[in-house]
Amino acid sequence: MPYIDGFIAAVANDKRDAFEEHCRTTWPVFQELGAIAQWECWGEDLPEGEVTSFPMAVKAKEDETVVFSWVVWPDKAVRDKAWGQMMTDPSIGEAMGEMPYDGKRMIYGGFQPIFGQGDINAMS
């Protein structure tokens, strides 16, 4: 069963091009490590909440936009092996380049799908 890594981060609006380039740079690395898909989404309709919201979750500033991203792995074992490599092999970090956002405010985690319908490839 596929395994999903999800990410939410705040990116400065003037760094959108750098973020998109970073996405294009990270995909070959993730793919080489076994990922089967990567999606990066620039926030457009992100209402402010009173208790919680996407912008609040990452402490987005006025000049930042929230991005929502996910990487699909064939299974958790492949994902765990890839993350182990990413955490221990400095050449992988070098290949991915500098993050154009504050990683300390990024939220991420691994998810086991429990329901899926439709063809995600239809989104491209």
Side-chain angles (χ1 to χ4, degrees):
M1 171 171 278
Y3 196 79
I4 312 295
D5 276 322
F7 309 88
I8 301 170
V11 179
N13 294 325
D14 64 358
K15 290 191 177 184
R16 181 176 175 157
D17 290 343
F19 178 75
E20 289 182 26
E21 181 59 31
H22 179 71
C23 298
R24 286 189 287 278
T25 300
T26 59
W27 168 239
V29 176
F30 285 140
Q31 192 174 29
E32 186 175 315
L33 293 170
I36 56 178
Q38 174 182 331
W39 286 88
E40 307 287 345
C41 306
W42 192 260
E44 287 189 357
D45 185 9
L46 304 170
E48 287 289 336
E50 290 185 30
V51 177
T52 190
S53 67
F54 278 105
M56 290 170 67
V58 294
K59 298 181 180 178
K61 299 173 184 168
E62 278 291 317
D63 64 340
E64 293 178 325
T65 297
V66 177
V67 295
F68 175 61
S69 311
W70 67 93
V71 177
V72 182
W73 305 92
D75 55 46
K76 189 173 186 305
V78 171
R79 179 266 197 175
D80 289 349
K81 182 179 178 186
W83 274 98
Q85 289 176 271
M86 285 188 276
M87 296 298 120
T88 59
D89 184 344
S91 69
I92 293 174
E94 291 170 17
M96 294 174 96
E98 187 175 328
M99 295 187 303
Y101 52 88
D102 181 359
K104 292 177 184 173
R105 291 186 288 139
M106 179 174 68
I107 298 171
Y108 63 93
F111 298 84
Q112 179 183 25
I114 59 170
F115 177 81
Q117 192 64 44
D119 181 3
I120 195 161
N121 292 318
M123 292 172 50
S124 55

